[in-house]
Amino acid sequence: MMLRFLLLLIVINLKAGLDPLKTRHANQAKQRAENAVASNDFKTAIQAYIYLLDTLKIKDDKALLNLAHAYMKRADYNNAISRYTEASKAI
């Protein structure tokens, strides 16, 4: 009986667009990016934020702004401007 209930919950979440695996990956990517920024490892931060925003398609304005900041810290001005522009449109 309990197994049926758990399976029903999983099906309901998946139909509602809630993918627990995607959520876990998103949380891990965000944590990895934040840790990298705290360590001034902006290359790793950029990779993690790109995975979060572009690969997983997570809508996170703060992460987008932080990605732009990370590009700026690496003196990658073209990508920084592009992401700042994208962030300004999201507001």
Side-chain angles (χ1 to χ4, degrees):
M1 184 67 166
M2 185 63 141
L3 182 59
R4 284 185 181 178
F5 178 72
L6 290 174
L7 288 173
L8 178 63
L9 283 178
I10 291 170
V11 169
I12 290 170
N13 283 335
L14 290 175
K15 286 192 179 239
L18 302 174
D19 181 349
L21 185 60
K22 182 178 178 181
T23 301
R24 188 179 91 207
H25 285 277
N27 289 336
Q28 289 172 342
K30 193 169 188 177
Q31 188 63 53
R32 190 169 55 253
E34 290 171 356
N35 290 342
V37 167
S39 301
N40 291 325
D41 181 1
F42 298 107
K43 181 179 179 181
T44 299
I46 289 167
Q47 291 169 346
Y49 281 129
I50 287 173
Y51 177 72
L52 176 72
L53 298 166
D54 297 343
T55 303
L56 295 178
K57 305 290 187 207
I58 300 297
K59 303 294 181 206
D60 186 327
D61 296 339
K62 182 179 176 184
L64 181 56
L65 189 58
N66 287 342
L67 174 58
H69 293 330
Y71 276 125
M72 186 64 75
K73 290 286 192 176
R74 295 216 9 118
D76 185 344
Y77 302 117
N78 288 332
N79 279 317
I81 290 169
S82 175
R83 293 300 183 152
Y84 281 127
T85 302
E86 188 179 342
S88 72
K89 291 177 183 176
I91 297 174

